[in-house]
Amino acid sequence: MANTSTPTLTLLSQHGSFGGTVNIYSHASQQCQCTMKFAVYIPPQAKLHPVPILYFLSGLTCTEQNFITKAGAQRYAADHGLMLVAPDTSPRGEGVPDEEGWDFGSGAGFYVDATAAPWASHYRMYSYVTEELPSLIHENFEVNPQRQGIFGHSMGGHGALVCGLRNPDKYQSISAFAPIANPMQCSWGQKALGKYVGPDPSAWPAYDASALVADYGSTDRHILIDQGLDDSFLEQQQLKPEAFQAACEAAGQPLTLRMQAGYDHGYYFIATFMEDHIKHHGQVLCG
Amino acid sequence: MANTSTPTLTLLSQHGSFGGTVNIYSHASQQCQCTMKFAVYIPPQAKLHPVPILYFLSGLTCTEQNFITKAGAQRYAADHGLMLVAPDTSPRGEGVPDEEGWDFGSGAGFYVDATAAPWASHYRMYSYVTEELPSLIHENFEVNPQRQGIFGHSMGGHGALVCGLRNPDKYQSISAFAPIANPMQCSWGQKALGKYVGPDPSAWPAYDASALVADYGSTDRHILIDQGLDDSFLEQQQLKPEAFQAACEAAGQPLTLRMQAGYDHGYYFIATFMEDHIKHHGQVLCG
């Protein structure tokens, strides 16, 4: 296993955190055809033995910074001996197509492999998250590649559910905070899928967690979802946890969906329930 | 005790957090002669009985947002039943004098009452923190005004030590992260005191924790300080914890100064040791 000085990764910053370190890296992405950044938390246990990996996918407008600075996850990751990996939410930079607005383009890659022009040449976040990024992590850090979990928030909760459901061999544990759980049936998802994947909805179910559960049937992985009841995007029907719950019930997919009174869509909500999510993953990945 | 709808405070935002709420307020400040903002964390216990108050003073360039979004303190404040209060670091806005640079003026009030022109009319952060803000908190929230602690980071660690040492009747507990512990002997402090209080150093000791301990002698309040050994400002001689330690030893002031290997000056450091600091205050304030 190579160390962190392999030339594929450039270390941009490093900070001590709960006995381990928070590192920010950049690298040239083959999938996204641009420079991508990601944050990692290396727990103290990684000095002693390879550790499991837990990926966090962030929501609309976020970068690799939001989760690692605001979610308060490092303390619990240090308790369990989990490495955290938090990528950016889209390709970015010169030559990467973008458009006005915050819910499509930069900061809004939606964790799909775009097939429609002009997005297809760079917007390949599904393959970036499920293939390129894990390969980089496996090559560069003291990790156990057989032990991986995935979670995320909002658009990243959608990403975590989709990546996790479609790749049971890669991810042994899945959870989400306020995920976009049925994107084919909400305006954010319809816009993103319609543009990235194209207007024909027959290609969309591969990126819709509620459709995937119906297609793929149940797994033995118990999924945990927390959803704030004061979340304005819940009221606006962007998230639709009830659709995912119904799909799970029909398919026999184990799900704990917790509707949390008094919580909204932001990082104060995420931080409040972070301990439970890290435990959920730790029980599977560190068992 | 009035409720939060009294006209003196304007509620700008409210978010559920660890069973309580994070609220951001603005108000017209008499001391600073401008609109000031502060963040509070109201723990769940405040619904049942008046709670103690713990003030956090932030460092250079910060606003009322940094601590409450990044320090991870709410979890521990909820455990202990402490209200957190985090003010902005200076007066701001139209008509408030400022100058270029990040270490003086806006974001850099240094927790002094300025006496020199043009700063004296607005830059009164010492009286704001020790008088106006506590009065607002006592009037507007379910708190026990007899139970107050104060802590802070860097410039705010300096502020916490100075406010705490000069007001033993107001603050029963004191701690700091990487404080500017001897500002009369570092360039940040000399610049700030020289401009806000004037070039005559005879007026400076009132705002220098190391000088204050020597003048005031010991108290029975045990002070906790954490300082990262990888902190570049430590190396640059801006912080001088050893000067404060020597002053405490000479005066018999109880101090635990912990030099933490592998930690720098930022919020990853603060978050790592936050639990210990909240415990330090909780043991005194909630006993």
Side-chain angles (χ1 to χ4, degrees), chain A residues 15-19 22 68-69 74-76 262-264 268 271-272 275, chain B residues 15-19 22 68-69 74-76 262-264 268 271-272 275:
Chain A
H15 305 277
S17 172
F18 289 95
V22 167
I68 209 74
T69 56
Q74 289 93 309
R75 182 220 157 125
Y76 311 116
Y263 291 91
D264 60 23
Y268 294 116
T272 299
E275 181 172 17
Chain B
H15 306 278
S17 173
F18 289 95
V22 168
I68 208 73
T69 56
Q74 289 91 312
R75 183 221 157 123
Y76 311 116
Y263 291 91
D264 61 22
Y268 294 116
T272 299
E275 181 172 16

PDB file of all heavy atoms in Angstrom, chain A residues 15-19 22 68-69 74-76 262-264 268 271-272 275, chain B residues 15-19 22 68-69 74-76 262-264 268 271-272 275:
ATOM      1  N   HIS A  15      -4.704  19.191   9.138  1.00  0.00           N
ATOM      2  CA  HIS A  15      -5.000  19.727  10.469  1.00  0.00           C
ATOM      3  C   HIS A  15      -5.222  18.591  11.445  1.00  0.00           C
ATOM      4  O   HIS A  15      -6.003  17.673  11.157  1.00  0.00           O
ATOM      5  CB  HIS A  15      -6.281  20.568  10.446  1.00  0.00           C
ATOM      6  CG  HIS A  15      -6.280  21.671   9.439  1.00  0.00           C
ATOM      7  ND1 HIS A  15      -5.701  22.887   9.682  1.00  0.00           N
ATOM      8  CD2 HIS A  15      -6.764  21.726   8.181  1.00  0.00           C
ATOM      9  CE1 HIS A  15      -5.833  23.657   8.617  1.00  0.00           C
ATOM     10  NE2 HIS A  15      -6.477  22.982   7.683  1.00  0.00           N
ATOM     11  N   GLY A  16      -4.611  18.658  12.611  1.00  0.00           N
ATOM     12  CA  GLY A  16      -4.896  17.698  13.666  1.00  0.00           C
ATOM     13  C   GLY A  16      -6.348  17.786  14.104  1.00  0.00           C
ATOM     14  O   GLY A  16      -6.901  18.890  14.221  1.00  0.00           O
ATOM     15  N   SER A  17      -6.967  16.605  14.348  1.00  0.00           N
ATOM     16  CA  SER A  17      -8.385  16.563  14.716  1.00  0.00           C
ATOM     17  C   SER A  17      -8.674  15.268  15.446  1.00  0.00           C
ATOM     18  O   SER A  17      -8.541  14.193  14.868  1.00  0.00           O
ATOM     19  CB  SER A  17      -9.234  16.668  13.437  1.00  0.00           C
ATOM     20  OG  SER A  17     -10.597  16.442  13.701  1.00  0.00           O
ATOM     21  N   PHE A  18      -9.036  15.344  16.714  1.00  0.00           N
ATOM     22  CA  PHE A  18      -9.439  14.180  17.510  1.00  0.00           C
ATOM     23  C   PHE A  18      -8.427  13.026  17.383  1.00  0.00           C
ATOM     24  O   PHE A  18      -8.805  11.885  17.166  1.00  0.00           O
ATOM     25  CB  PHE A  18     -10.851  13.720  17.118  1.00  0.00           C
ATOM     26  CG  PHE A  18     -11.921  14.665  17.569  1.00  0.00           C
ATOM     27  CD1 PHE A  18     -12.418  15.645  16.708  1.00  0.00           C
ATOM     28  CD2 PHE A  18     -12.423  14.614  18.861  1.00  0.00           C
ATOM     29  CE1 PHE A  18     -13.393  16.547  17.130  1.00  0.00           C
ATOM     30  CE2 PHE A  18     -13.394  15.513  19.290  1.00  0.00           C
ATOM     31  CZ  PHE A  18     -13.889  16.470  18.431  1.00  0.00           C
ATOM     32  N   GLY A  19      -7.162  13.347  17.521  1.00  0.00           N
ATOM     33  CA  GLY A  19      -6.126  12.318  17.508  1.00  0.00           C
ATOM     34  C   GLY A  19      -5.699  11.864  16.130  1.00  0.00           C
ATOM     35  O   GLY A  19      -4.721  11.134  15.990  1.00  0.00           O
ATOM     36  N   VAL A  22      -7.297  15.840   9.555  1.00  0.00           N
ATOM     37  CA  VAL A  22      -8.140  16.208   8.418  1.00  0.00           C
ATOM     38  C   VAL A  22      -7.209  16.669   7.304  1.00  0.00           C
ATOM     39  O   VAL A  22      -6.439  17.616   7.499  1.00  0.00           O
ATOM     40  CB  VAL A  22      -9.112  17.346   8.789  1.00  0.00           C
ATOM     41  CG1 VAL A  22      -9.751  17.933   7.531  1.00  0.00           C
ATOM     42  CG2 VAL A  22     -10.168  16.852   9.763  1.00  0.00           C
ATOM     43  N   ILE A  68     -16.787  18.350   6.439  1.00  0.00           N
ATOM     44  CA  ILE A  68     -15.648  18.138   7.341  1.00  0.00           C
ATOM     45  C   ILE A  68     -15.531  19.274   8.360  1.00  0.00           C
ATOM     46  O   ILE A  68     -15.019  19.073   9.461  1.00  0.00           O
ATOM     47  CB  ILE A  68     -14.353  17.910   6.519  1.00  0.00           C
ATOM     48  CG1 ILE A  68     -13.373  17.032   7.285  1.00  0.00           C
ATOM     49  CG2 ILE A  68     -13.738  19.201   6.050  1.00  0.00           C
ATOM     50  CD1 ILE A  68     -13.731  15.588   7.358  1.00  0.00           C
ATOM     51  N   THR A  69     -16.038  20.479   8.012  1.00  0.00           N
ATOM     52  CA  THR A  69     -15.954  21.594   8.958  1.00  0.00           C
ATOM     53  C   THR A  69     -17.167  21.696   9.877  1.00  0.00           C
ATOM     54  O   THR A  69     -17.054  22.233  10.976  1.00  0.00           O
ATOM     55  CB  THR A  69     -15.806  22.948   8.239  1.00  0.00           C
ATOM     56  OG1 THR A  69     -16.886  23.126   7.335  1.00  0.00           O
ATOM     57  CG2 THR A  69     -14.488  23.041   7.480  1.00  0.00           C
ATOM     58  N   GLN A  74     -15.887  13.833  13.036  1.00  0.00           N
ATOM     59  CA  GLN A  74     -14.554  13.293  13.338  1.00  0.00           C
ATOM     60  C   GLN A  74     -14.504  12.646  14.712  1.00  0.00           C
ATOM     61  O   GLN A  74     -13.842  11.634  14.902  1.00  0.00           O
ATOM     62  CB  GLN A  74     -13.495  14.405  13.247  1.00  0.00           C
ATOM     63  CG  GLN A  74     -13.213  14.884  11.839  1.00  0.00           C
ATOM     64  CD  GLN A  74     -14.042  16.072  11.432  1.00  0.00           C
ATOM     65  OE1 GLN A  74     -15.268  16.062  11.575  1.00  0.00           O
ATOM     66  NE2 GLN A  74     -13.408  17.109  10.936  1.00  0.00           N
ATOM     67  N   ARG A  75     -15.157  13.233  15.680  1.00  0.00           N
ATOM     68  CA  ARG A  75     -15.116  12.667  17.025  1.00  0.00           C
ATOM     69  C   ARG A  75     -15.606  11.218  17.018  1.00  0.00           C
ATOM     70  O   ARG A  75     -15.000  10.344  17.638  1.00  0.00           O
ATOM     71  CB  ARG A  75     -16.015  13.511  17.942  1.00  0.00           C
ATOM     72  CG  ARG A  75     -15.970  13.010  19.358  1.00  0.00           C
ATOM     73  CD  ARG A  75     -17.328  13.047  20.027  1.00  0.00           C
ATOM     74  NE  ARG A  75     -17.342  12.102  21.115  1.00  0.00           N
ATOM     75  CZ  ARG A  75     -17.648  12.396  22.359  1.00  0.00           C
ATOM     76  NH1 ARG A  75     -17.978  13.605  22.675  1.00  0.00           N
ATOM     77  NH2 ARG A  75     -17.635  11.453  23.268  1.00  0.00           N
ATOM     78  N   TYR A  76     -16.700  10.967  16.325  1.00  0.00           N
ATOM     79  CA  TYR A  76     -17.292   9.628  16.316  1.00  0.00           C
ATOM     80  C   TYR A  76     -16.483   8.688  15.417  1.00  0.00           C
ATOM     81  O   TYR A  76     -16.363   7.500  15.703  1.00  0.00           O
ATOM     82  CB  TYR A  76     -18.751   9.700  15.886  1.00  0.00           C
ATOM     83  CG  TYR A  76     -19.513  10.764  16.636  1.00  0.00           C
ATOM     84  CD1 TYR A  76     -20.061  11.864  15.970  1.00  0.00           C
ATOM     85  CD2 TYR A  76     -19.649  10.701  18.020  1.00  0.00           C
ATOM     86  CE1 TYR A  76     -20.737  12.856  16.663  1.00  0.00           C
ATOM     87  CE2 TYR A  76     -20.317  11.697  18.721  1.00  0.00           C
ATOM     88  CZ  TYR A  76     -20.864  12.770  18.038  1.00  0.00           C
ATOM     89  OH  TYR A  76     -21.524  13.755  18.721  1.00  0.00           O
ATOM     90  N   GLY A 262     -38.720  19.424  14.945  1.00  0.00           N
ATOM     91  CA  GLY A 262     -37.903  20.566  15.365  1.00  0.00           C
ATOM     92  C   GLY A 262     -36.611  20.740  14.592  1.00  0.00           C
ATOM     93  O   GLY A 262     -35.814  21.625  14.922  1.00  0.00           O
ATOM     94  N   TYR A 263     -36.401  19.941  13.556  1.00  0.00           N
ATOM     95  CA  TYR A 263     -35.144  20.027  12.798  1.00  0.00           C
ATOM     96  C   TYR A 263     -35.402  20.394  11.345  1.00  0.00           C
ATOM     97  O   TYR A 263     -36.364  19.930  10.736  1.00  0.00           O
ATOM     98  CB  TYR A 263     -34.371  18.705  12.893  1.00  0.00           C
ATOM     99  CG  TYR A 263     -33.863  18.488  14.289  1.00  0.00           C
ATOM    100  CD1 TYR A 263     -34.624  17.787  15.221  1.00  0.00           C
ATOM    101  CD2 TYR A 263     -32.663  19.056  14.691  1.00  0.00           C
ATOM    102  CE1 TYR A 263     -34.180  17.635  16.529  1.00  0.00           C
ATOM    103  CE2 TYR A 263     -32.216  18.910  15.993  1.00  0.00           C
ATOM    104  CZ  TYR A 263     -32.978  18.204  16.903  1.00  0.00           C
ATOM    105  OH  TYR A 263     -32.544  18.071  18.192  1.00  0.00           O
ATOM    106  N   ASP A 264     -34.481  21.212  10.794  1.00  0.00           N
ATOM    107  CA  ASP A 264     -34.618  21.669   9.417  1.00  0.00           C
ATOM    108  C   ASP A 264     -33.638  20.922   8.513  1.00  0.00           C
ATOM    109  O   ASP A 264     -33.268  19.780   8.796  1.00  0.00           O
ATOM    110  CB  ASP A 264     -34.486  23.196   9.336  1.00  0.00           C
ATOM    111  CG  ASP A 264     -33.148  23.718   9.845  1.00  0.00           C
ATOM    112  OD1 ASP A 264     -32.162  22.952   9.864  1.00  0.00           O
ATOM    113  OD2 ASP A 264     -33.080  24.902  10.225  1.00  0.00           O
ATOM    114  N   TYR A 268     -26.944  21.934  11.386  1.00  0.00           N
ATOM    115  CA  TYR A 268     -27.281  21.745  12.809  1.00  0.00           C
ATOM    116  C   TYR A 268     -28.086  20.453  12.984  1.00  0.00           C
ATOM    117  O   TYR A 268     -27.916  19.734  13.970  1.00  0.00           O
ATOM    118  CB  TYR A 268     -28.066  22.940  13.341  1.00  0.00           C
ATOM    119  CG  TYR A 268     -27.260  24.226  13.369  1.00  0.00           C
ATOM    120  CD1 TYR A 268     -27.617  25.321  12.589  1.00  0.00           C
ATOM    121  CD2 TYR A 268     -26.139  24.331  14.188  1.00  0.00           C
ATOM    122  CE1 TYR A 268     -26.884  26.492  12.621  1.00  0.00           C
ATOM    123  CE2 TYR A 268     -25.393  25.504  14.222  1.00  0.00           C
ATOM    124  CZ  TYR A 268     -25.771  26.578  13.432  1.00  0.00           C
ATOM    125  OH  TYR A 268     -25.031  27.740  13.456  1.00  0.00           O
ATOM    126  N   ALA A 271     -25.507  17.485  12.347  1.00  0.00           N
ATOM    127  CA  ALA A 271     -24.608  17.291  13.489  1.00  0.00           C
ATOM    128  C   ALA A 271     -25.320  16.608  14.650  1.00  0.00           C
ATOM    129  O   ALA A 271     -24.735  15.783  15.355  1.00  0.00           O
ATOM    130  CB  ALA A 271     -24.025  18.635  13.933  1.00  0.00           C
ATOM    131  N   THR A 272     -26.598  16.950  14.830  1.00  0.00           N
ATOM    132  CA  THR A 272     -27.351  16.389  15.964  1.00  0.00           C
ATOM    133  C   THR A 272     -27.456  14.871  15.878  1.00  0.00           C
ATOM    134  O   THR A 272     -27.376  14.180  16.897  1.00  0.00           O
ATOM    135  CB  THR A 272     -28.755  17.017  16.018  1.00  0.00           C
ATOM    136  OG1 THR A 272     -28.617  18.435  16.203  1.00  0.00           O
ATOM    137  CG2 THR A 272     -29.591  16.426  17.148  1.00  0.00           C
ATOM    138  N   GLU A 275     -23.865  11.177  15.423  1.00  0.00           N
ATOM    139  CA  GLU A 275     -23.391  10.074  16.253  1.00  0.00           C
ATOM    140  C   GLU A 275     -24.141   8.785  15.913  1.00  0.00           C
ATOM    141  O   GLU A 275     -23.527   7.719  15.788  1.00  0.00           O
ATOM    142  CB  GLU A 275     -23.563  10.417  17.739  1.00  0.00           C
ATOM    143  CG  GLU A 275     -23.050   9.291  18.642  1.00  0.00           C
ATOM    144  CD  GLU A 275     -23.016   9.675  20.112  1.00  0.00           C
ATOM    145  OE1 GLU A 275     -23.671  10.671  20.496  1.00  0.00           O
ATOM    146  OE2 GLU A 275     -22.328   8.977  20.877  1.00  0.00           O
TER     147      GLU A 275
ATOM    148  N   HIS B  15     -32.543  27.372  14.424  1.00  0.00           N
ATOM    149  CA  HIS B  15     -32.328  26.009  13.937  1.00  0.00           C
ATOM    150  C   HIS B  15     -32.316  25.042  15.106  1.00  0.00           C
ATOM    151  O   HIS B  15     -31.606  25.276  16.093  1.00  0.00           O
ATOM    152  CB  HIS B  15     -30.976  25.898  13.223  1.00  0.00           C
ATOM    153  CG  HIS B  15     -30.773  26.876  12.129  1.00  0.00           C
ATOM    154  ND1 HIS B  15     -31.272  26.680  10.859  1.00  0.00           N
ATOM    155  CD2 HIS B  15     -30.141  28.074  12.108  1.00  0.00           C
ATOM    156  CE1 HIS B  15     -30.940  27.711  10.100  1.00  0.00           C
ATOM    157  NE2 HIS B  15     -30.259  28.569  10.825  1.00  0.00           N
ATOM    158  N   GLY B  16     -33.042  23.930  14.982  1.00  0.00           N
ATOM    159  CA  GLY B  16     -32.961  22.880  15.982  1.00  0.00           C
ATOM    160  C   GLY B  16     -31.567  22.299  16.042  1.00  0.00           C
ATOM    161  O   GLY B  16     -30.914  22.119  15.002  1.00  0.00           O
ATOM    162  N   SER B  17     -31.081  22.013  17.271  1.00  0.00           N
ATOM    163  CA  SER B  17     -29.714  21.515  17.460  1.00  0.00           C
ATOM    164  C   SER B  17     -29.628  20.778  18.789  1.00  0.00           C
ATOM    165  O   SER B  17     -29.815  21.390  19.842  1.00  0.00           O
ATOM    166  CB  SER B  17     -28.743  22.709  17.436  1.00  0.00           C
ATOM    167  OG  SER B  17     -27.422  22.319  17.781  1.00  0.00           O
ATOM    168  N   PHE B  18     -29.395  19.478  18.755  1.00  0.00           N
ATOM    169  CA  PHE B  18     -29.196  18.675  19.970  1.00  0.00           C
ATOM    170  C   PHE B  18     -30.290  18.923  21.006  1.00  0.00           C
ATOM    171  O   PHE B  18     -30.007  19.133  22.181  1.00  0.00           O
ATOM    172  CB  PHE B  18     -27.808  18.937  20.555  1.00  0.00           C
ATOM    173  CG  PHE B  18     -26.694  18.363  19.718  1.00  0.00           C
ATOM    174  CD1 PHE B  18     -26.031  19.144  18.789  1.00  0.00           C
ATOM    175  CD2 PHE B  18     -26.339  17.024  19.837  1.00  0.00           C
ATOM    176  CE1 PHE B  18     -25.014  18.607  17.997  1.00  0.00           C
ATOM    177  CE2 PHE B  18     -25.326  16.480  19.048  1.00  0.00           C
ATOM    178  CZ  PHE B  18     -24.667  17.274  18.129  1.00  0.00           C
ATOM    179  N   GLY B  19     -31.515  18.901  20.579  1.00  0.00           N
ATOM    180  CA  GLY B  19     -32.647  19.040  21.487  1.00  0.00           C
ATOM    181  C   GLY B  19     -32.985  20.458  21.878  1.00  0.00           C
ATOM    182  O   GLY B  19     -34.014  20.709  22.506  1.00  0.00           O
ATOM    183  N   VAL B  22     -30.361  26.768  18.036  1.00  0.00           N
ATOM    184  CA  VAL B  22     -29.375  27.811  17.739  1.00  0.00           C
ATOM    185  C   VAL B  22     -30.140  29.001  17.173  1.00  0.00           C
ATOM    186  O   VAL B  22     -30.826  28.869  16.160  1.00  0.00           O
ATOM    187  CB  VAL B  22     -28.337  27.325  16.708  1.00  0.00           C
ATOM    188  CG1 VAL B  22     -27.511  28.497  16.179  1.00  0.00           C
ATOM    189  CG2 VAL B  22     -27.429  26.257  17.323  1.00  0.00           C
ATOM    190  N   ILE B  68     -20.406  28.882  16.460  1.00  0.00           N
ATOM    191  CA  ILE B  68     -21.642  28.097  16.572  1.00  0.00           C
ATOM    192  C   ILE B  68     -21.757  27.074  15.429  1.00  0.00           C
ATOM    193  O   ILE B  68     -22.395  26.037  15.583  1.00  0.00           O
ATOM    194  CB  ILE B  68     -22.870  29.049  16.652  1.00  0.00           C
ATOM    195  CG1 ILE B  68     -24.008  28.395  17.426  1.00  0.00           C
ATOM    196  CG2 ILE B  68     -23.312  29.540  15.306  1.00  0.00           C
ATOM    197  CD1 ILE B  68     -23.803  28.299  18.909  1.00  0.00           C
ATOM    198  N   THR B  69     -21.100  27.343  14.279  1.00  0.00           N
ATOM    199  CA  THR B  69     -21.155  26.384  13.174  1.00  0.00           C
ATOM    200  C   THR B  69     -20.030  25.359  13.208  1.00  0.00           C
ATOM    201  O   THR B  69     -20.190  24.266  12.667  1.00  0.00           O
ATOM    202  CB  THR B  69     -21.095  27.096  11.801  1.00  0.00           C
ATOM    203  OG1 THR B  69     -19.916  27.899  11.733  1.00  0.00           O
ATOM    204  CG2 THR B  69     -22.317  27.970  11.576  1.00  0.00           C
ATOM    205  N   GLN B  74     -22.408  22.481  20.914  1.00  0.00           N
ATOM    206  CA  GLN B  74     -23.801  22.331  21.320  1.00  0.00           C
ATOM    207  C   GLN B  74     -24.063  20.979  21.965  1.00  0.00           C
ATOM    208  O   GLN B  74     -24.840  20.867  22.908  1.00  0.00           O
ATOM    209  CB  GLN B  74     -24.741  22.508  20.117  1.00  0.00           C
ATOM    210  CG  GLN B  74     -24.840  23.923  19.591  1.00  0.00           C
ATOM    211  CD  GLN B  74     -23.837  24.233  18.504  1.00  0.00           C
ATOM    212  OE1 GLN B  74     -22.644  23.938  18.625  1.00  0.00           O
ATOM    213  NE2 GLN B  74     -24.296  24.825  17.422  1.00  0.00           N
ATOM    214  N   ARG B  75     -23.437  19.935  21.464  1.00  0.00           N
ATOM    215  CA  ARG B  75     -23.669  18.614  22.025  1.00  0.00           C
ATOM    216  C   ARG B  75     -23.346  18.592  23.516  1.00  0.00           C
ATOM    217  O   ARG B  75     -24.090  18.045  24.334  1.00  0.00           O
ATOM    218  CB  ARG B  75     -22.793  17.594  21.293  1.00  0.00           C
ATOM    219  CG  ARG B  75     -23.036  16.192  21.783  1.00  0.00           C
ATOM    220  CD  ARG B  75     -21.755  15.410  21.919  1.00  0.00           C
ATOM    221  NE  ARG B  75     -21.934  14.335  22.854  1.00  0.00           N
ATOM    222  CZ  ARG B  75     -21.735  13.054  22.592  1.00  0.00           C
ATOM    223  NH1 ARG B  75     -21.331  12.690  21.428  1.00  0.00           N
ATOM    224  NH2 ARG B  75     -21.938  12.150  23.512  1.00  0.00           N
ATOM    225  N   TYR B  76     -22.217  19.187  23.879  1.00  0.00           N
ATOM    226  CA  TYR B  76     -21.770  19.156  25.271  1.00  0.00           C
ATOM    227  C   TYR B  76     -22.577  20.151  26.119  1.00  0.00           C
ATOM    228  O   TYR B  76     -22.852  19.896  27.291  1.00  0.00           O
ATOM    229  CB  TYR B  76     -20.275  19.446  25.348  1.00  0.00           C
ATOM    230  CG  TYR B  76     -19.481  18.605  24.373  1.00  0.00           C
ATOM    231  CD1 TYR B  76     -18.758  19.183  23.329  1.00  0.00           C
ATOM    232  CD2 TYR B  76     -19.496  17.214  24.460  1.00  0.00           C
ATOM    233  CE1 TYR B  76     -18.058  18.410  22.420  1.00  0.00           C
ATOM    234  CE2 TYR B  76     -18.801  16.431  23.544  1.00  0.00           C
ATOM    235  CZ  TYR B  76     -18.082  17.040  22.524  1.00  0.00           C
ATOM    236  OH  TYR B  76     -17.397  16.267  21.619  1.00  0.00           O
ATOM    237  N   GLY B 262       0.563  18.217  17.703  1.00  0.00           N
ATOM    238  CA  GLY B 262      -0.169  17.862  16.485  1.00  0.00           C
ATOM    239  C   GLY B 262      -1.354  18.758  16.176  1.00  0.00           C
ATOM    240  O   GLY B 262      -2.081  18.499  15.216  1.00  0.00           O
ATOM    241  N   TYR B 263      -1.537  19.829  16.941  1.00  0.00           N
ATOM    242  CA  TYR B 263      -2.701  20.698  16.714  1.00  0.00           C
ATOM    243  C   TYR B 263      -2.264  22.115  16.367  1.00  0.00           C
ATOM    244  O   TYR B 263      -1.292  22.632  16.924  1.00  0.00           O
ATOM    245  CB  TYR B 263      -3.606  20.703  17.950  1.00  0.00           C
ATOM    246  CG  TYR B 263      -4.272  19.364  18.117  1.00  0.00           C
ATOM    247  CD1 TYR B 263      -3.686  18.372  18.891  1.00  0.00           C
ATOM    248  CD2 TYR B 263      -5.441  19.074  17.435  1.00  0.00           C
ATOM    249  CE1 TYR B 263      -4.267  17.119  19.003  1.00  0.00           C
ATOM    250  CE2 TYR B 263      -6.032  17.829  17.537  1.00  0.00           C
ATOM    251  CZ  TYR B 263      -5.451  16.849  18.315  1.00  0.00           C
ATOM    252  OH  TYR B 263      -6.019  15.619  18.403  1.00  0.00           O
ATOM    253  N   ASP B 264      -3.039  22.734  15.450  1.00  0.00           N
ATOM    254  CA  ASP B 264      -2.723  24.083  15.000  1.00  0.00           C
ATOM    255  C   ASP B 264      -3.668  25.098  15.641  1.00  0.00           C
ATOM    256  O   ASP B 264      -4.177  24.874  16.743  1.00  0.00           O
ATOM    257  CB  ASP B 264      -2.693  24.140  13.466  1.00  0.00           C
ATOM    258  CG  ASP B 264      -4.022  23.769  12.812  1.00  0.00           C
ATOM    259  OD1 ASP B 264      -5.087  23.871  13.474  1.00  0.00           O
ATOM    260  OD2 ASP B 264      -4.007  23.380  11.626  1.00  0.00           O
ATOM    261  N   TYR B 268     -10.486  22.885  13.959  1.00  0.00           N
ATOM    262  CA  TYR B 268     -10.310  21.447  14.194  1.00  0.00           C
ATOM    263  C   TYR B 268      -9.669  21.210  15.562  1.00  0.00           C
ATOM    264  O   TYR B 268     -10.007  20.256  16.268  1.00  0.00           O
ATOM    265  CB  TYR B 268      -9.466  20.818  13.086  1.00  0.00           C
ATOM    266  CG  TYR B 268     -10.140  20.835  11.731  1.00  0.00           C
ATOM    267  CD1 TYR B 268      -9.602  21.551  10.673  1.00  0.00           C
ATOM    268  CD2 TYR B 268     -11.319  20.120  11.521  1.00  0.00           C
ATOM    269  CE1 TYR B 268     -10.213  21.564   9.431  1.00  0.00           C
ATOM    270  CE2 TYR B 268     -11.938  20.132  10.286  1.00  0.00           C
ATOM    271  CZ  TYR B 268     -11.383  20.855   9.245  1.00  0.00           C
ATOM    272  OH  TYR B 268     -11.993  20.871   8.021  1.00  0.00           O
ATOM    273  N   ALA B 271     -12.442  22.146  18.253  1.00  0.00           N
ATOM    274  CA  ALA B 271     -13.472  21.104  18.371  1.00  0.00           C
ATOM    275  C   ALA B 271     -12.949  19.890  19.135  1.00  0.00           C
ATOM    276  O   ALA B 271     -13.687  19.271  19.908  1.00  0.00           O
ATOM    277  CB  ALA B 271     -13.951  20.686  16.981  1.00  0.00           C
ATOM    278  N   THR B 272     -11.666  19.574  18.930  1.00  0.00           N
ATOM    279  CA  THR B 272     -11.091  18.394  19.569  1.00  0.00           C
ATOM    280  C   THR B 272     -11.134  18.500  21.094  1.00  0.00           C
ATOM    281  O   THR B 272     -11.390  17.513  21.787  1.00  0.00           O
ATOM    282  CB  THR B 272      -9.647  18.192  19.086  1.00  0.00           C
ATOM    283  OG1 THR B 272      -9.657  17.981  17.667  1.00  0.00           O
ATOM    284  CG2 THR B 272      -8.990  16.988  19.768  1.00  0.00           C
ATOM    285  N   GLU B 275     -15.002  19.373  24.377  1.00  0.00           N
ATOM    286  CA  GLU B 275     -15.672  18.618  25.445  1.00  0.00           C
ATOM    287  C   GLU B 275     -15.031  18.906  26.805  1.00  0.00           C
ATOM    288  O   GLU B 275     -15.731  19.116  27.802  1.00  0.00           O
ATOM    289  CB  GLU B 275     -15.621  17.112  25.142  1.00  0.00           C
ATOM    290  CG  GLU B 275     -16.328  16.279  26.206  1.00  0.00           C
ATOM    291  CD  GLU B 275     -16.453  14.813  25.834  1.00  0.00           C
ATOM    292  OE1 GLU B 275     -15.751  14.355  24.907  1.00  0.00           O
ATOM    293  OE2 GLU B 275     -17.268  14.129  26.477  1.00  0.00           O
TER     294      GLU B 275
END
